Structure formats: C-alpha cells, structure tokens
Amino acid sequence: MTFPPPYDTWFPDAEFDAAYGHTLATLREIAPVPAPDGFTARWQAWRAQAKTVDAAPAVLSTESIHGRRVSIIEHAGVDGIRLRAWLVEPVSPPARVGVVHSHGYGGRDAIDLARIPEDAAAIFPVARGLPTLNTGIGAPEIQAEHVLAGIENPDDYVLGLCARDLWLAADALTALVGRVPLYYVGESFGGGIGALALPWDDRYIGATLIVPSFGQYDERLAVHCLGSGETVRDHVAAHPDAREALRWFDASSTLGFARVPVRVEAALWDPYVPPPGQFGVANAARMLELAVLPAGHADYPGADEVTAESVRGGRAHLARALRAASAP
C-alpha cells in the first residue's frame, strides 16, 4: 500500500492509511454530530446530581517531587465509589489556577508536570477501572470491556460515568487547595472525556484537548482503527441500537456547548484515534485554537520537537485564558 508523503517513509509498514484519505482542508470540513433532543437537559441533570455527592477527599500519602508537594488522594466518584488520584500543590502557595489533567486509555502510573505551571495546583485523576491507581474499581480494566461497560443504559455507560467523575475530581482539588479557576488538560481518552464534562462545569476557564477520542461517531464507526473505536464499531455492527446510545456521549456534539476557549491538538495521521473524529471535535469548538500535529499515537522524525512546541502552546493558552478570566 502506498501512503502520501511523508507517511510513506515514516510508516512504510503501516497496516493501513491512518490519514484515511484526508487532508487538512477536508478534515476542517467535518461537521460535529448534532446533539439529540433532550441532550442539554440530560447532561444538566447529571451535573445537578453530581453536585449532591460529597467528594470527601482524603490524603493517603505525600512526597516532594521536583520541588512540589505531591499527594496520593482518594475521593468519591459520581456513584459513590472511591477513586484515587494524584494532587500537586504549587511551589509557592496559594495557587492561581487549578489544572485537572486526565490521561489516555492506558491509564496513568505517574504524574507529568510538563503542562502544569509552577503557580498552579493540579489533580491527576485516574478513570474508574484503569491502572494504576483505580485498576478494576467501578469498571473493567481491560480496554475492550471498559469501553462497552454499561452501554445499554445512558445513566450507566462508563464514558458518561468517567466524565461525571471529573466533576468530583475538580471538587476534590478545590476542597484541598481552595477555590481557584480551573483549566482542563486531557489526551486521547482524556481529551474526549474532558469534552463531555467541560461544558457543564462553570468553574473552567479553558481547556487543551490533545488528539481527543470519542468524537464524531458517524466518522468513527465508518473506519477501521487500532484503538477502542474498533471495539465499539464491532459492537454497533452486532447491536445497531447501540448507535443511539452513543449519541449522548459524542465529544463533537458536547464541545459545542462549551463557552470557554479550547485548544485542540489534532493529528493528520493516527491509527488509534482516527483524525476525522479528532477534527469533528475541534470543529465544534466555539472559541478554537487549533494546533495541527503531523501524527498522533505514533513515533516519527521530529516528534520530540513537535511535543515540546505543543506543550509551550498549551501553557501559553492556559496563561491567556487565566488573564482573560481575571480581567475586570
């Protein structure tokens, strides 16, 4: 199979064209999936229910990492389960901003401070069921089982529960460090989950979504991939009614309801999260800063430099969002 340059030399042994025949121009034309009737009311009801849950954070252990106080904490999930996370306190308290920093579908085994300013507090939540802190808690660990858990009932679907858990993670952060404006960072799984949660929480001033998943299911279900989308695609092929359930959890439908600046770092080539889905999310943002990545979920020449530039861009976006929120 012949791929367009530079992917023909970067990924000559790839199983398929992970650009899916698209160019930047065609990707920018992909429309978000319209929200179904009752969409806003359902998400607002979930948000109201989450506000009745006490996050009740507890500090389990604390150490110093790169000059910052880092604790493992425990807090309530939206259905009352107890989830663990890392809490990072700023070098010199009090914090000016709080960052909720989610992760990819592999879970998280350590914190990553690259996108956390020194004057920020941060929580690194770990999604229910996922390693290392919450393996098997509240959801299956195995990705192919996790992404389908509870799909028969929107109230129980794991992606919705994970999004709603983020509201409780933010509650835990502000309970422990004080009320601060919030900024969201999420990659892949965390990018999609963040897009679901962000519009319904008015504490946020902005977000960075990196190669976000769970967007534009019309596109995702139409193409093969190596990520969780393939499991969902197989399931919908066998159970067509599941397509309707997914309409409540389409990140491209949800992000259009966010009224804060959003930076999306979307890839032109990605075998795990198809670019049409990523750009479906990006194209939904009302106040979009788009950073186009050559590839996602892959190593390629110059990837370290691209990542470093993305980190700088994300931190600059956070700083601008904080200045705008602080302006009289």
Side-chain angles (χ1 to χ4, degrees), residues 54-57 168-179 203:
D54 182 0
L168 274 295
D171 290 349
L173 173 64
T174 56
L176 292 170
V177 305
R179 294 188 63 179
R203 294 172 293 182

Side-chain angles (χ1 to χ4, degrees), residues 266-281:
L268 299 175
W269 169 289
D270 195 325
Y272 285 86
V273 179
Q278 297 182 33
F279 278 84
V281 176

Side-chain angles (χ1 to χ4, degrees), residues 1-19 269:
M1 182 178 293
T2 301
F3 306 131
Y7 308 117
D8 55 344
T9 56
W10 287 2
F11 312 118
D13 299 322
E15 176 188 338
F16 57 91
D17 174 15
W269 169 289

Side-chain angles (χ1 to χ4, degrees), residues 4 8 20 31 33 58 71 92 114 117 125 160 177 180 209 222 259 270 272 274 302 311 322 328:
D8 55 344
Y20 298 91
V33 174
S71 302
S92 300
V177 305
V180 288
L209 309 178
R259 286 174 165 77
D270 195 325
Y272 285 86
V311 168
L322 184 57

Side-chain angles (χ1 to χ4, degrees), residues 275-303:
Q278 297 182 33
F279 278 84
V281 176
N283 296 340
R286 291 170 178 256
M287 290 180 277
L288 173 66
E289 177 176 292
L290 177 64
V292 179
L293 310 180
H297 295 90
D299 291 325
Y300 56 91

